[in-house]
Amino acid sequence: MVTIGVLALQGDVGEHVRALEESGARALAVRRPGELEAVDGLVIPGGESTTMSKLLLAFGLFDPLKARIDAGLPVWGTCAGMIMLASHILDGRPDQKSLGAIDMVVRRNAFGRQVDSYEEDLEVKGLADPFHAVFIRAPWVESVGEGVEVLARAGDDPAGPIVAVRSGRALATSFHPEIGGDRRMHGLFVSLVRGS
Ligand code: GLN
């Protein structure tokens, strides 16, 4: 069985732990560099990316995590986690750092700064039926580099904003797949970590 960490500095940790366990993985909350060494893959949850960036540095996790990602650790960022995986952030704070796991430009709070969320049944490449996606002050992907595959666009529009991407063994989604009972996105990541 694969062990998948959930970065547990802040954000939707418990929901991801549960969803991963229901998808056939062992899940581990990761707060220290030592815990990071024990995982085969890592989920970076939603929350607040500027806070997460600060806490990664304060907990001494930023450099070890970046090193493991650069060495090929499978990662999946959801919402704030997507921002953390970007190579470039738009509308971020000047001191905000990201891990550069995926060659993409991500715009923070792209759907507007309002507190409310929106929901949409999204066509996601690799899933047979639409996925009910919940967006909460979500980012979107403004552009992707070569080798980054677009998995979903919002607004039921082939030219709509990019909200899910994959680059090798790194995955990023603007929405919160841990909300609601649909485990297909977690299943996709577990398969990716297993290498199947
Ligand atoms: N707007 C948040 C940020 O900038 C992300 C919101 C979320 O993760 N739900 O990090």
Side-chain angles (χ1 to χ4, degrees):
M1 194 187 264
V2 288
T3 300
I4 300 184
V6 180
L7 186 67
L9 301 176
Q10 191 243 356
D12 300 340
V13 178
E15 293 87 340
H16 273 294
V17 165
R18 203 166 317 121
L20 288 167
E21 283 170 347
E22 287 172 13
S23 306
R26 187 179 301 119
L28 181 72
V30 170
R31 282 184 200 86
R32 300 163 210 277
E35 289 160 346
L36 190 58
E37 282 162 27
V39 303
D40 306 306
L42 185 76
V43 172
I44 305 183
E48 222 293 313
S49 58
T50 62
T51 309
M52 223 180 274
S53 159
K54 260 187 227 152
L55 292 173
L56 272 173
L57 292 166
F59 280 60
L61 266 170
F62 189 90
D63 290 337
L65 177 53
K66 176 140 181 52
R68 277 218 66 191
I69 289 173
D70 291 349
L73 179 75
V75 281
W76 175 21
T78 63
C79 203
M82 168 188 262
I83 301 170
M84 291 306 307
L85 292 183
S87 47
H88 297 283
I89 302 171
L90 299 177
D91 292 339
R93 287 196 12 184
D95 58 344
Q96 172 168 16
K97 290 189 66 168
S98 66
L99 295 155
I102 302 179
D103 184 7
M104 61 178 175
V105 178
V106 170
R107 187 177 293 280
R108 234 180 117 224
N109 300 321
F111 292 86
R113 285 193 171 270
Q114 70 276 27
V115 181
D116 55 319
S117 59
Y118 99 92
E119 306 187 10
E120 179 183 352
D121 288 328
L122 211 59
E123 296 283 353
V124 181
K125 226 182 243 183
L127 301 183
D129 299 304
F131 190 94
H132 187 73
V134 178
F135 296 82
I136 305 168
R137 276 176 296 126
W140 69 41
V141 180
E142 200 115 331
S143 63
V144 294
E146 241 172 77
V148 181
E149 188 187 4
V150 173
L151 300 181
R153 289 180 183 265
D156 195 19
D157 175 357
I162 300 168
V163 292
V165 297
R166 175 182 175 171
S167 171
R169 298 176 86 194
L171 200 64
T173 50
S174 299
F175 49 95
H176 286 259
E178 75 284 5
I179 297 177
D182 193 338
R183 300 302 184 221
R184 288 177 296 159
M185 290 302 304
H186 287 82
L188 216 69
F189 186 60
V190 172
S191 309
L192 202 142
V193 173
R194 281 196 190 122
S196 59

